[in-house]
Amino acid sequence: MGTSEPTPDAVTEIAAGYAFSGQALDLGALLWDGTAHPDAAVRIPLPVLNRHGLVAGATGTGKTKTLQLIAEQLSAQGVPVFLADVKGDLSGISAPGEAGEKVQARAAEVGQKWTPAGFPAEFYALGGIGHGIPVRATVTSFGPVLLAKVLQLNPTQEQSLGLIFHYADTKGLELLDLKDLRAVVAFLTSEEGKAELTGIGGLSTATAGVILRSLTAFEAQGMSDFFGEPEFDTADFLRASPDGRGIVSVLELPAVQDKPQLFSTFLMWLLADLFHDLPEIGDAEKPKLVFFFDEAHLLFNGASKAFLDSITQTVRLIRSKGVGVFFVTQTPKDVPSDVLAQLGNRVQHALRAFTPDDQKALKATVKTFPNSAYDLEELLTSLGTGEAVVTVLSEKGAPTPVAATRLRAPESLMGPIDAGVLDRAVAASPLHERYAQAVDRESAYEKLQGRPEPKSESVPEGGRRREEKEAPSMVEQVVGSGMFKSLARSIGTQLGREITRSLFGTAKRRR
Protein backbone atom coordinates (compact mmCIF):
# COMPACT_ATOMS: atom_id res chain seq x y z
CA MET A 1 0.00 0.00 0.00
CA GLY A 2 1.42 3.36 -1.02
CA THR A 3 1.94 6.07 1.57
CA SER A 4 3.52 9.49 1.57
CA GLU A 5 5.38 9.39 4.89
CA PRO A 6 5.21 5.95 6.49
CA THR A 7 5.91 7.06 10.05
CA PRO A 8 4.34 6.19 13.41
CA ASP A 9 3.41 9.88 13.74
CA ALA A 10 1.01 9.58 10.81
CA VAL A 11 -0.71 6.59 12.47
CA THR A 12 -1.02 8.54 15.73
CA GLU A 13 -2.40 11.59 13.94
CA ILE A 14 -5.02 9.64 12.01
CA ALA A 15 -6.03 7.62 15.09
CA ALA A 16 -6.54 10.85 17.06
CA GLY A 17 -9.20 11.86 14.54
CA TYR A 18 -11.30 8.86 15.62
CA ALA A 19 -10.88 9.17 19.41
CA PHE A 20 -14.47 10.19 20.10
CA SER A 21 -15.70 10.72 23.65
CA GLY A 22 -19.35 9.71 23.14
CA GLN A 23 -21.11 6.60 21.86
CA ALA A 24 -19.69 5.28 18.60
CA LEU A 25 -19.68 2.25 16.33
CA ASP A 26 -16.39 0.36 16.02
CA LEU A 27 -15.55 -0.35 12.39
CA GLY A 28 -12.08 -1.83 12.80
CA ALA A 29 -8.38 -1.04 13.15
CA LEU A 30 -6.25 1.45 11.25
CA LEU A 31 -4.11 -0.01 8.45
CA TRP A 32 -0.70 1.39 7.58
CA ASP A 33 1.65 -0.28 5.10
CA GLY A 34 -0.49 -3.40 5.24
CA THR A 35 -0.27 -3.72 9.03
CA ALA A 36 -3.31 -3.37 11.28
CA HIS A 37 -2.89 -1.29 14.46
CA PRO A 38 -5.41 -2.70 16.95
CA ASP A 39 -4.80 0.17 19.37
CA ALA A 40 -5.85 2.68 16.67
CA ALA A 41 -9.60 2.13 16.37
CA VAL A 42 -11.60 3.55 13.45
CA ARG A 43 -15.10 4.51 14.60
CA ILE A 44 -18.29 6.41 13.66
CA PRO A 45 -19.97 8.62 16.30
CA LEU A 46 -23.54 7.45 16.88
CA PRO A 47 -25.10 10.96 16.72
CA VAL A 48 -23.80 11.64 13.18
CA LEU A 49 -25.32 8.55 11.59
CA ASN A 50 -28.33 10.62 10.53
CA ARG A 51 -25.89 12.62 8.35
CA HIS A 52 -26.05 9.80 5.82
CA GLY A 53 -23.35 7.72 4.20
CA LEU A 54 -22.04 5.64 1.34
CA VAL A 55 -20.77 2.06 1.32
CA ALA A 56 -19.10 1.37 -2.03
CA GLY A 57 -16.79 -1.14 -3.64
CA ALA A 58 -16.47 -3.73 -6.36
CA THR A 59 -18.36 -7.01 -6.18
CA GLY A 60 -16.86 -9.42 -3.65
CA THR A 61 -14.97 -6.83 -1.61
CA GLY A 62 -17.08 -7.18 1.55
CA LYS A 63 -19.82 -4.54 1.31
CA THR A 64 -22.51 -6.89 2.61
CA LYS A 65 -20.45 -7.82 5.67
CA THR A 66 -19.88 -4.12 6.33
CA LEU A 67 -23.64 -3.56 6.34
CA GLN A 68 -24.05 -6.46 8.72
CA LEU A 69 -21.30 -5.15 11.03
CA ILE A 70 -22.83 -1.66 11.22
CA ALA A 71 -26.39 -3.00 11.60
CA GLU A 72 -25.37 -5.24 14.52
CA GLN A 73 -23.82 -2.37 16.45
CA LEU A 74 -26.74 -0.05 15.76
CA SER A 75 -29.17 -2.69 17.01
CA ALA A 76 -27.06 -3.25 20.14
CA GLN A 77 -27.29 0.48 20.89
CA GLY A 78 -31.06 0.55 20.52
CA VAL A 79 -31.26 1.91 16.95
CA PRO A 80 -33.62 0.18 14.49
CA VAL A 81 -32.15 -0.66 11.08
CA PHE A 82 -33.61 -1.31 7.63
CA LEU A 83 -31.65 -3.57 5.25
CA ALA A 84 -32.53 -4.43 1.66
CA ASP A 85 -31.29 -8.01 1.15
CA VAL A 86 -30.86 -8.27 -2.60
CA LYS A 87 -28.82 -11.50 -2.65
CA GLY A 88 -30.53 -13.24 0.27
CA ASP A 89 -27.52 -13.52 2.56
CA LEU A 90 -28.39 -11.01 5.31
CA SER A 91 -30.97 -13.14 7.13
CA GLY A 92 -28.05 -14.54 9.17
CA ILE A 93 -28.08 -11.37 11.27
CA SER A 94 -30.78 -13.03 13.36
CA ALA A 95 -28.56 -15.98 14.33
CA PRO A 96 -25.24 -16.22 16.25
CA GLY A 97 -22.14 -16.46 14.11
CA GLU A 98 -19.93 -19.50 13.87
CA ALA A 99 -16.47 -19.37 15.38
CA GLY A 100 -13.61 -20.39 13.15
CA GLU A 101 -9.96 -19.77 12.45
CA LYS A 102 -10.60 -16.89 10.02
CA VAL A 103 -12.96 -15.13 12.41
CA GLN A 104 -10.62 -15.52 15.35
CA ALA A 105 -7.64 -14.34 13.30
CA ARG A 106 -9.51 -11.25 12.12
CA ALA A 107 -10.65 -10.47 15.66
CA ALA A 108 -7.07 -10.73 16.95
CA GLU A 109 -5.76 -8.45 14.18
CA VAL A 110 -8.21 -5.65 14.96
CA GLY A 111 -8.39 -6.00 18.75
CA GLN A 112 -11.96 -7.28 18.76
CA LYS A 113 -13.43 -9.40 21.55
CA TRP A 114 -15.56 -11.51 19.24
CA THR A 115 -18.64 -13.15 20.78
CA PRO A 116 -21.26 -14.92 18.64
CA ALA A 117 -24.61 -13.12 18.82
CA GLY A 118 -27.89 -12.96 16.91
CA PHE A 119 -29.99 -9.80 16.74
CA PRO A 120 -33.76 -9.22 16.74
CA ALA A 121 -35.00 -9.21 13.15
CA GLU A 122 -38.18 -9.01 11.10
CA PHE A 123 -38.29 -10.33 7.55
CA TYR A 124 -40.36 -8.75 4.77
CA ALA A 125 -41.08 -9.52 1.10
CA LEU A 126 -42.45 -7.16 -1.56
CA GLY A 127 -46.03 -8.13 -2.26
CA GLY A 128 -45.47 -11.32 -0.26
CA ILE A 129 -43.37 -12.77 -3.11
CA GLY A 130 -40.66 -14.76 -1.36
CA HIS A 131 -40.01 -15.32 2.33
CA GLY A 132 -41.36 -12.54 4.51
CA ILE A 133 -44.25 -10.42 5.73
CA PRO A 134 -45.90 -8.85 2.66
CA VAL A 135 -45.07 -5.20 1.99
CA ARG A 136 -47.64 -3.46 -0.22
CA ALA A 137 -48.39 0.13 -1.15
CA THR A 138 -51.63 1.58 -2.45
CA VAL A 139 -51.29 3.17 -5.87
CA THR A 140 -52.46 6.53 -4.51
CA SER A 141 -49.84 6.46 -1.78
CA PHE A 142 -47.10 5.39 -4.19
CA GLY A 143 -47.81 8.46 -6.28
CA PRO A 144 -47.31 9.39 -9.94
CA VAL A 145 -43.57 10.13 -9.95
CA LEU A 146 -42.55 6.77 -8.48
CA LEU A 147 -45.09 4.90 -10.58
CA ALA A 148 -43.86 6.64 -13.74
CA LYS A 149 -40.37 5.36 -12.88
CA VAL A 150 -41.46 1.72 -12.72
CA LEU A 151 -43.66 2.11 -15.82
CA GLN A 152 -40.65 3.65 -17.60
CA LEU A 153 -42.67 6.64 -18.81
CA ASN A 154 -41.02 9.66 -20.40
CA PRO A 155 -41.24 13.13 -18.73
CA THR A 156 -44.34 14.14 -20.70
CA GLN A 157 -46.12 10.90 -19.83
CA GLU A 158 -45.02 11.30 -16.20
CA GLN A 159 -46.64 14.73 -16.05
CA SER A 160 -49.79 13.33 -17.63
CA LEU A 161 -49.92 10.53 -15.08
CA GLY A 162 -49.75 13.22 -12.40
CA LEU A 163 -52.82 14.86 -13.91
CA ILE A 164 -54.68 11.54 -13.81
CA PHE A 165 -53.81 11.12 -10.13
CA HIS A 166 -55.00 14.68 -9.47
CA TYR A 167 -58.27 13.93 -11.24
CA ALA A 168 -58.84 10.75 -9.22
CA ASP A 169 -57.94 12.56 -5.97
CA THR A 170 -60.43 15.35 -6.53
CA LYS A 171 -63.24 13.05 -7.67
CA GLY A 172 -63.04 10.70 -4.70
CA LEU A 173 -61.85 7.78 -6.82
CA GLU A 174 -59.54 5.84 -4.52
CA LEU A 175 -56.59 4.26 -6.34
CA LEU A 176 -55.80 1.29 -4.13
CA ASP A 177 -54.48 -1.20 -6.66
CA LEU A 178 -53.51 -1.22 -10.34
CA LYS A 179 -56.96 -2.13 -11.60
CA ASP A 180 -58.29 1.06 -9.98
CA LEU A 181 -55.87 3.22 -11.94
CA ARG A 182 -56.46 1.23 -15.10
CA ALA A 183 -60.22 1.73 -14.72
CA VAL A 184 -59.83 5.50 -14.30
CA VAL A 185 -57.60 5.81 -17.38
CA ALA A 186 -59.96 3.58 -19.37
CA PHE A 187 -62.90 5.78 -18.35
CA LEU A 188 -61.06 8.95 -19.40
CA THR A 189 -60.24 7.45 -22.82
CA SER A 190 -63.79 6.13 -23.42
CA GLU A 191 -66.49 7.99 -25.37
CA GLU A 192 -68.35 8.86 -22.18
CA GLY A 193 -65.21 10.08 -20.42
CA LYS A 194 -63.84 12.32 -23.17
CA ALA A 195 -65.58 15.37 -21.72
CA GLU A 196 -63.75 14.77 -18.46
CA LEU A 197 -60.46 14.27 -20.32
CA THR A 198 -60.74 17.65 -22.00
CA GLY A 199 -61.13 19.23 -18.60
CA ILE A 200 -57.71 17.95 -17.45
CA GLY A 201 -55.23 20.49 -18.79
CA GLY A 202 -52.40 19.08 -20.87
CA LEU A 203 -53.60 15.46 -21.02
CA SER A 204 -54.13 14.16 -24.55
CA THR A 205 -56.07 11.08 -25.58
CA ALA A 206 -52.94 9.63 -27.19
CA THR A 207 -50.83 10.02 -24.03
CA ALA A 208 -53.59 8.57 -21.86
CA GLY A 209 -53.70 5.62 -24.24
CA VAL A 210 -49.94 5.06 -23.90
CA ILE A 211 -50.28 5.10 -20.11
CA LEU A 212 -53.15 2.63 -20.29
CA ARG A 213 -51.12 0.24 -22.45
CA SER A 214 -48.12 0.58 -20.10
CA LEU A 215 -50.32 -0.28 -17.13
CA THR A 216 -51.81 -3.30 -18.89
CA ALA A 217 -48.33 -4.59 -19.78
CA PHE A 218 -47.12 -3.90 -16.24
CA GLU A 219 -49.94 -6.00 -14.79
CA ALA A 220 -49.27 -8.75 -17.32
CA GLN A 221 -45.74 -9.01 -15.90
CA GLY A 222 -47.23 -10.00 -12.52
CA MET A 223 -46.79 -6.63 -10.82
CA SER A 224 -50.28 -6.43 -9.30
CA ASP A 225 -49.26 -8.15 -6.05
CA PHE A 226 -47.10 -5.21 -4.99
CA PHE A 227 -49.99 -2.74 -4.91
CA GLY A 228 -53.06 -2.88 -2.70
CA GLU A 229 -54.09 -3.23 0.90
CA PRO A 230 -53.34 -3.60 3.71
CA GLU A 231 -50.71 -0.98 3.00
CA PHE A 232 -47.49 -1.33 4.96
CA ASP A 233 -47.00 1.20 7.74
CA THR A 234 -43.34 2.22 7.78
CA ALA A 235 -43.67 3.11 11.48
CA ASP A 236 -43.26 -0.64 12.02
CA PHE A 237 -39.58 -0.20 11.13
CA LEU A 238 -39.08 2.00 14.21
CA ARG A 239 -39.38 -0.67 16.88
CA ALA A 240 -37.18 -2.08 19.58
CA SER A 241 -37.18 -5.57 21.08
CA PRO A 242 -38.17 -6.10 24.73
CA ASP A 243 -34.49 -6.05 25.74
CA GLY A 244 -34.09 -2.58 24.22
CA ARG A 245 -32.14 -3.56 21.10
CA GLY A 246 -33.24 -2.04 17.80
CA ILE A 247 -35.09 -4.40 15.48
CA VAL A 248 -33.34 -5.09 12.17
CA SER A 249 -35.93 -5.06 9.35
CA VAL A 250 -34.69 -7.20 6.46
CA LEU A 251 -36.50 -6.84 3.13
CA GLU A 252 -35.87 -10.11 1.30
CA LEU A 253 -35.49 -9.35 -2.42
CA PRO A 254 -34.06 -12.51 -4.09
CA ALA A 255 -37.49 -13.44 -5.46
CA VAL A 256 -37.77 -10.09 -7.28
CA GLN A 257 -34.15 -9.67 -8.38
CA ASP A 258 -35.38 -9.66 -11.98
CA LYS A 259 -37.48 -6.54 -11.27
CA PRO A 260 -34.78 -4.03 -10.30
CA GLN A 261 -36.73 -0.93 -11.35
CA LEU A 262 -39.60 -2.02 -9.14
CA PHE A 263 -37.74 -2.93 -5.97
CA SER A 264 -35.40 0.07 -6.06
CA THR A 265 -38.35 2.43 -6.52
CA PHE A 266 -40.26 0.67 -3.75
CA LEU A 267 -37.33 1.34 -1.42
CA MET A 268 -37.66 5.02 -2.27
CA TRP A 269 -41.38 4.89 -1.45
CA LEU A 270 -40.57 3.45 1.97
CA LEU A 271 -38.14 6.30 2.58
CA ALA A 272 -40.59 8.94 1.32
CA ASP A 273 -43.33 7.50 3.55
CA LEU A 274 -41.05 7.75 6.57
CA PHE A 275 -40.24 11.32 5.63
CA HIS A 276 -43.92 12.27 5.49
CA ASP A 277 -44.84 10.76 8.82
CA LEU A 278 -41.95 11.48 11.18
CA PRO A 279 -41.80 14.71 13.19
CA GLU A 280 -38.81 17.03 13.17
CA ILE A 281 -36.41 16.24 16.03
CA GLY A 282 -33.25 18.10 15.04
CA ASP A 283 -29.96 16.73 16.31
CA ALA A 284 -30.37 13.74 18.62
CA GLU A 285 -28.10 11.46 20.63
CA LYS A 286 -28.83 8.64 18.21
CA PRO A 287 -30.89 8.12 15.03
CA LYS A 288 -34.47 6.87 15.04
CA LEU A 289 -33.62 4.59 12.13
CA VAL A 290 -30.72 3.90 9.78
CA PHE A 291 -31.86 2.90 6.30
CA PHE A 292 -29.46 1.01 3.99
CA PHE A 293 -30.33 1.50 0.33
CA ASP A 294 -28.66 -1.39 -1.52
CA GLU A 295 -28.07 -1.47 -5.29
CA ALA A 296 -28.50 2.30 -5.23
CA HIS A 297 -27.42 2.74 -8.85
CA LEU A 298 -30.70 1.12 -9.93
CA LEU A 299 -32.61 3.98 -8.35
CA PHE A 300 -30.81 6.62 -10.39
CA ASN A 301 -30.64 4.83 -13.75
CA GLY A 302 -32.91 6.57 -16.24
CA ALA A 303 -34.40 8.79 -13.54
CA SER A 304 -36.21 11.97 -14.60
CA LYS A 305 -35.14 15.37 -13.31
CA ALA A 306 -38.25 15.52 -11.12
CA PHE A 307 -37.35 12.15 -9.65
CA LEU A 308 -33.73 13.13 -8.94
CA ASP A 309 -34.81 16.45 -7.43
CA SER A 310 -37.18 14.62 -5.09
CA ILE A 311 -34.47 12.16 -4.01
CA THR A 312 -32.09 15.03 -3.27
CA GLN A 313 -34.70 16.88 -1.25
CA THR A 314 -35.72 13.77 0.69
CA VAL A 315 -32.13 12.94 1.62
CA ARG A 316 -31.44 16.52 2.64
CA LEU A 317 -34.52 16.92 4.83
CA ILE A 318 -35.01 13.47 6.36
CA ARG A 319 -31.91 13.78 8.55
CA SER A 320 -33.72 16.35 10.72
CA LYS A 321 -36.32 13.65 11.39
CA GLY A 322 -33.67 11.33 12.80
CA VAL A 323 -33.29 8.98 9.83
CA GLY A 324 -29.86 8.17 8.41
CA VAL A 325 -29.60 6.85 4.86
CA PHE A 326 -26.64 4.83 3.55
CA PHE A 327 -26.47 4.25 -0.19
CA VAL A 328 -24.76 0.99 -1.15
CA THR A 329 -23.31 0.68 -4.64
CA GLN A 330 -20.10 -0.07 -6.56
CA THR A 331 -18.62 3.38 -7.12
CA PRO A 332 -19.47 6.90 -5.89
CA LYS A 333 -20.11 7.95 -9.49
CA ASP A 334 -23.29 5.81 -9.34
CA VAL A 335 -24.76 8.48 -7.06
CA PRO A 336 -25.60 11.97 -8.43
CA SER A 337 -23.29 14.69 -7.16
CA ASP A 338 -26.08 16.58 -5.38
CA VAL A 339 -26.87 13.45 -3.35
CA LEU A 340 -23.23 12.44 -2.89
CA ALA A 341 -22.46 15.86 -1.38
CA GLN A 342 -24.85 15.03 1.48
CA LEU A 343 -23.20 11.74 2.41
CA GLY A 344 -20.85 12.57 5.27
CA ASN A 345 -19.83 9.02 6.22
CA ARG A 346 -17.89 6.95 3.71
CA VAL A 347 -16.75 3.33 3.67
CA GLN A 348 -15.02 2.64 0.36
CA HIS A 349 -13.99 -0.95 -0.37
CA ALA A 350 -11.59 -1.93 -3.14
CA LEU A 351 -12.10 -0.85 -6.73
CA ARG A 352 -10.89 -2.56 -9.90
CA ALA A 353 -8.90 -0.75 -12.58
CA PHE A 354 -8.83 -3.27 -15.44
CA THR A 355 -10.30 -1.05 -18.15
CA PRO A 356 -10.09 2.65 -19.10
CA ASP A 357 -13.58 3.13 -17.67
CA ASP A 358 -12.45 1.50 -14.41
CA GLN A 359 -9.44 3.80 -14.24
CA LYS A 360 -11.63 6.83 -14.87
CA ALA A 361 -13.98 5.74 -12.08
CA LEU A 362 -11.01 5.22 -9.76
CA LYS A 363 -9.69 8.74 -10.36
CA ALA A 364 -13.18 10.18 -9.87
CA THR A 365 -13.53 8.29 -6.57
CA VAL A 366 -10.20 9.59 -5.25
CA LYS A 367 -11.35 13.16 -5.93
CA THR A 368 -14.34 12.68 -3.63
CA PHE A 369 -12.10 12.11 -0.59
CA PRO A 370 -10.41 14.78 1.55
CA ASN A 371 -6.65 15.21 1.28
CA SER A 372 -4.97 12.08 2.58
CA ALA A 373 -1.68 10.75 3.88
CA TYR A 374 -2.23 7.75 1.57
CA ASP A 375 -1.74 7.33 -2.14
CA LEU A 376 -5.42 6.56 -2.64
CA GLU A 377 -5.20 5.47 -6.27
CA GLU A 378 -2.79 2.73 -5.31
CA LEU A 379 -4.50 1.95 -2.02
CA LEU A 380 -7.99 1.51 -3.45
CA THR A 381 -6.83 -1.12 -5.93
CA SER A 382 -4.83 -3.09 -3.36
CA LEU A 383 -7.29 -3.37 -0.46
CA GLY A 384 -8.16 -6.93 0.53
CA THR A 385 -11.61 -8.34 1.25
CA GLY A 386 -12.93 -6.83 4.46
CA GLU A 387 -10.71 -3.77 4.17
CA ALA A 388 -11.86 -0.26 3.29
CA VAL A 389 -10.94 3.40 3.17
CA VAL A 390 -12.99 5.30 5.74
CA THR A 391 -13.78 8.93 6.47
CA VAL A 392 -16.70 9.98 8.66
CA LEU A 393 -17.98 13.07 10.39
CA SER A 394 -16.63 13.78 13.84
CA GLU A 395 -18.85 14.67 16.79
CA LYS A 396 -18.39 18.32 15.75
CA GLY A 397 -19.45 17.60 12.17
CA ALA A 398 -15.99 17.91 10.60
CA PRO A 399 -14.56 15.17 8.31
CA THR A 400 -12.14 12.78 10.00
CA PRO A 401 -8.77 11.93 8.43
CA VAL A 402 -8.91 9.31 5.70
CA ALA A 403 -8.13 5.94 7.30
CA ALA A 404 -7.40 2.63 5.62
CA THR A 405 -9.18 0.14 7.85
CA ARG A 406 -9.22 -3.59 8.46
CA LEU A 407 -12.84 -4.14 9.40
CA ARG A 408 -14.16 -6.16 12.31
CA ALA A 409 -15.91 -9.49 11.80
CA PRO A 410 -19.71 -9.54 12.25
CA GLU A 411 -20.82 -11.47 15.34
CA SER A 412 -23.94 -12.85 13.67
CA LEU A 413 -24.07 -15.58 11.04
CA MET A 414 -22.29 -14.55 7.83
CA GLY A 415 -24.72 -16.19 5.43
CA PRO A 416 -28.43 -16.98 5.16
CA ILE A 417 -30.39 -18.85 7.78
CA ASP A 418 -32.31 -21.97 6.76
CA ALA A 419 -35.48 -21.20 4.76
CA GLY A 420 -37.61 -23.16 7.22
CA VAL A 421 -36.24 -21.18 10.16
CA LEU A 422 -36.94 -17.95 8.28
CA ASP A 423 -40.53 -18.98 7.49
CA ARG A 424 -41.18 -19.87 11.13
CA ALA A 425 -39.83 -16.49 12.22
CA VAL A 426 -42.18 -14.76 9.77
CA ALA A 427 -45.20 -16.76 10.93
CA ALA A 428 -44.41 -15.99 14.57
CA SER A 429 -44.12 -12.24 13.98
CA PRO A 430 -46.79 -10.04 15.59
CA LEU A 431 -47.03 -8.24 12.23
CA HIS A 432 -47.85 -11.33 10.20
CA GLU A 433 -51.58 -11.35 10.95
CA ARG A 434 -51.88 -7.65 10.12
CA TYR A 435 -50.31 -7.84 6.65
CA ALA A 436 -50.48 -11.46 5.43
CA GLN A 437 -53.95 -11.44 3.87
CA ALA A 438 -54.52 -9.09 0.93
CA VAL A 439 -57.88 -7.28 0.96
CA ASP A 440 -59.83 -5.50 -1.74
CA ARG A 441 -62.36 -2.92 -0.58
CA GLU A 442 -64.51 -0.64 -2.71
CA SER A 443 -62.42 1.86 -4.65
CA ALA A 444 -62.23 3.45 -8.11
CA TYR A 445 -62.67 0.16 -10.00
CA GLU A 446 -65.90 -0.68 -8.20
CA LYS A 447 -67.23 2.89 -8.38
CA LEU A 448 -66.67 3.05 -12.12
CA GLN A 449 -68.29 -0.37 -12.55
CA GLY A 450 -71.16 0.47 -10.27
CA ARG A 451 -70.80 -2.98 -8.72
CA PRO A 452 -72.58 -3.39 -5.38
CA GLU A 453 -70.68 -4.68 -2.41
CA PRO A 454 -71.04 -8.45 -1.87
CA LYS A 455 -72.69 -9.83 1.22
CA SER A 456 -70.52 -9.61 4.31
CA GLU A 457 -68.12 -12.40 5.10
CA SER A 458 -65.38 -13.00 7.60
CA VAL A 459 -62.47 -10.91 6.32
CA PRO A 460 -59.73 -8.75 7.78
CA GLU A 461 -60.93 -5.33 8.89
CA GLY A 462 -61.02 -2.70 6.14
CA GLY A 463 -61.95 -4.78 3.10
CA ARG A 464 -62.97 -8.03 1.50
CA ARG A 465 -60.91 -10.90 0.16
CA ARG A 466 -59.57 -10.53 -3.37
CA GLU A 467 -61.76 -12.31 -5.89
CA GLU A 468 -60.22 -15.36 -7.42
CA LYS A 469 -62.16 -15.19 -10.70
CA GLU A 470 -60.61 -13.62 -13.77
CA ALA A 471 -61.04 -9.85 -14.01
CA PRO A 472 -63.47 -8.57 -16.70
CA SER A 473 -62.06 -7.16 -19.89
CA MET A 474 -61.36 -3.42 -20.14
CA VAL A 475 -64.60 -2.78 -22.06
CA GLU A 476 -66.61 -4.77 -19.52
CA GLN A 477 -64.97 -2.94 -16.64
CA VAL A 478 -65.93 0.51 -17.84
CA VAL A 479 -68.56 0.60 -20.56
CA GLY A 480 -70.40 -2.52 -19.44
CA SER A 481 -71.44 -0.99 -16.14
CA GLY A 482 -75.12 -0.28 -15.59
CA MET A 483 -74.26 2.93 -13.79
CA PHE A 484 -71.70 4.07 -16.32
CA LYS A 485 -73.70 6.72 -18.19
CA SER A 486 -75.17 8.32 -15.11
CA LEU A 487 -71.74 8.29 -13.47
CA ALA A 488 -70.22 9.93 -16.56
CA ARG A 489 -72.78 12.73 -16.30
CA SER A 490 -72.35 13.25 -12.57
CA ILE A 491 -68.69 12.60 -11.88
CA GLY A 492 -67.63 16.05 -13.02
CA THR A 493 -69.73 17.63 -10.29
CA GLN A 494 -68.98 15.16 -7.49
CA LEU A 495 -67.53 16.70 -4.39
CA GLY A 496 -64.22 14.86 -4.21
CA ARG A 497 -61.60 14.83 -1.50
CA GLU A 498 -58.26 16.30 -2.54
CA ILE A 499 -55.39 14.16 -1.31
CA THR A 500 -52.42 15.97 0.17
CA ARG A 501 -49.28 15.00 -1.69
CA SER A 502 -45.66 15.70 -0.95
CA LEU A 503 -42.30 14.60 -2.38
CA PHE A 504 -42.60 12.24 -5.38
CA GLY A 505 -46.34 13.03 -5.42
CA THR A 506 -46.75 10.42 -2.69
CA ALA A 507 -49.81 10.70 -0.49
CA LYS A 508 -49.43 11.72 3.11
CA ARG A 509 -50.68 9.01 5.42
CA ARG A 510 -53.72 9.83 7.52
CA ARG A 511 -53.40 8.39 11.01
Side-chain angles (χ1 to χ4, degrees):
M1 293 182 187
T3 63
S4 57
E5 294 182 13
T7 66
D9 289 344
V11 173
T12 302
E13 184 178 340
I14 295 172
Y18 293 88
F20 309 121
S21 58
Q23 287 182 297
L25 309 186
D26 292 308
L27 293 180
L30 179 65
L31 270 176
W32 191 272
D33 273 347
T35 301
H37 295 259
D39 54 339
V42 177
R43 313 166 77 214
I44 305 180
L46 191 59
V48 305
L49 280 160
N50 69 330
R51 303 288 289 274
H52 311 319
L54 176 74
V55 178
T59 301
T61 56
K63 295 192 300 294
T64 301
K65 299 300 178 286
T66 298
L67 305 191
Q68 194 167 342
L69 173 68
I70 296 174
E72 289 177 354
Q73 294 188 59
L74 286 167
S75 174
Q77 300 203 46
V79 178
V81 180
F82 171 88
L83 296 172
D85 188 9
V86 178
K87 293 176 288 187
D89 52 5
L90 280 170
S91 59
I93 199 167
S94 62
E98 298 174 348
E101 288 184 10
K102 288 185 177 180
V103 169
Q104 298 296 346
R106 174 59 62 101
E109 289 171 350
V110 300
Q112 176 185 8
K113 295 180 180 178
W114 188 87
T115 305
F119 295 82
E122 291 276 16
F123 301 100
Y124 301 94
L126 285 186
I129 297 177
H131 302 276
I133 298 161
V135 173
R136 305 179 189 88
T138 63
V139 168
T140 198
S141 176
F142 205 71
V145 178
L146 292 175
L147 190 60
K149 180 78 160 59
V150 296
L151 291 175
Q152 300 182 330
L153 303 182
N154 65 33
T156 299
Q157 294 159 357
E158 178 183 313
Q159 292 171 2
S160 297
L161 184 62
L163 292 172
I164 294 169
F165 270 74
H166 175 73
Y167 175 82
D169 291 350
T170 56
K171 301 303 180 184
L173 294 170
E174 297 92 342
L175 305 177
L176 301 183
D177 52 26
L178 290 177
K179 75 178 185 301
D180 289 324
L181 180 58
R182 185 159 45 83
V184 170
V185 181
F187 166 68
L188 291 172
T189 54
S190 68
E191 284 299 319
E192 287 81 358
K194 281 184 178 179
E196 294 296 315
L197 186 67
T198 58
I200 305 176
L203 178 60
S204 70
T205 303
T207 301
V210 170
I211 293 171
L212 183 59
R213 289 192 294 274
S214 297
L215 275 170
T216 303
F218 191 62
E219 287 184 283
Q221 294 168 25
M223 302 297 192
S224 297
D225 290 334
F226 305 106
F227 297 94
E229 291 186 311
E231 181 174 76
F232 184 74
D233 186 346
T234 50
D236 287 326
F237 290 151
L238 308 175
R239 297 181 298 130
S241 63
D243 62 7
R245 292 182 296 169
I247 289 178
V248 181
S249 297
V250 183
L251 182 63
E252 295 288 336
L253 295 173
V256 293
Q257 279 191 81
D258 60 338
K259 300 175 175 65
Q261 287 276 358
L262 180 72
F263 77 67
S264 62
T265 311
F266 238 95
L267 295 181
M268 198 66 233
W269 172 74
L270 294 173
L271 200 57
D273 195 66
L274 284 163
F275 173 78
H276 292 164
D277 293 348
L278 291 174
E280 297 274 342
I281 64 169
D283 292 327
E285 291 183 358
K286 61 184 180 182
K288 280 190 172 182
L289 174 74
V290 176
F291 190 106
F292 288 92
F293 208 122
D294 206 355
E295 300 289 345
H297 65 283
L298 297 171
L299 181 69
F300 303 112
N301 284 351
S304 67
K305 184 179 185 302
F307 190 85
L308 292 175
D309 288 346
S310 294
I311 293 173
T312 304
Q313 192 174 1
T314 301
V315 172
R316 184 173 70 249
L317 298 178
I318 202 169
R319 90 174 211 208
S320 65
K321 300 191 174 191
V323 176
V325 183
F326 274 71
F327 290 99
V328 185
T329 189
Q330 293 202 0
T331 72
K333 73 180 182 67
D334 293 334
V335 180
S337 56
D338 287 346
V339 176
L340 190 63
Q342 300 179 55
L343 310 182
N345 303 301
R346 301 274 300 277
V347 181
Q348 176 69 58
H349 288 266
L351 290 173
R352 309 300 180 217
F354 300 138
T355 69
D357 284 345
D358 290 342
Q359 292 167 1
K360 186 177 179 181
L362 173 63
K363 290 181 182 294
T365 298
V366 170
K367 290 179 180 178
T368 65
F369 280 91
N371 291 334
S372 165
Y374 298 92
D375 177 348
L376 287 179
E377 280 197 40
E378 181 180 341
L379 176 60
L380 286 172
T381 57
S382 59
L383 290 169
T385 302
E387 297 176 350
V389 172
V390 174
T391 180
V392 302
L393 293 178
S394 71
E395 292 164 310
K396 295 181 180 180
T400 58
V402 174
T405 307
R406 183 160 292 156
L407 299 166
R408 288 180 162 222
E411 295 184 335
S412 56
L413 184 64
M414 289 190 278
I417 59 173
D418 182 76
V421 174
L422 197 158
D423 287 339
R424 287 193 291 274
V426 171
S429 168
L431 302 180
H432 185 261
E433 184 176 355
R434 187 190 311 173
Y435 295 115
Q437 178 63 56
V439 297
D440 185 12
R441 62 186 174 90
E442 184 183 41
S443 49
Y445 173 83
E446 288 79 12
K447 288 180 179 180
L448 287 169
Q449 262 203 328
R451 185 174 68 190
E453 287 282 290
K455 294 180 180 179
S456 60
E457 55 180 312
S458 176
V459 296
E461 184 179 352
R464 63 177 180 274
R465 299 188 186 281
R466 291 187 181 274
E467 296 177 350
E468 297 297 329
K469 64 181 182 181
E470 183 177 348
S473 70
M474 187 68 66
V475 174
E476 289 172 329
Q477 289 174 28
V478 183
V479 182
S481 165
M483 287 182 65
F484 181 82
K485 291 185 179 180
S486 62
L487 178 61
R489 289 192 300 268
S490 65
I491 195 168
T493 57
Q494 279 188 13
L495 179 62
R497 181 181 56 164
E498 179 72 54
I499 292 177
T500 304
R501 294 189 177 274
S502 187
L503 296 174
F504 297 100
T506 48
K508 291 188 175 181
R509 192 186 297 276
R510 290 183 175 89
R511 290 201 180 99

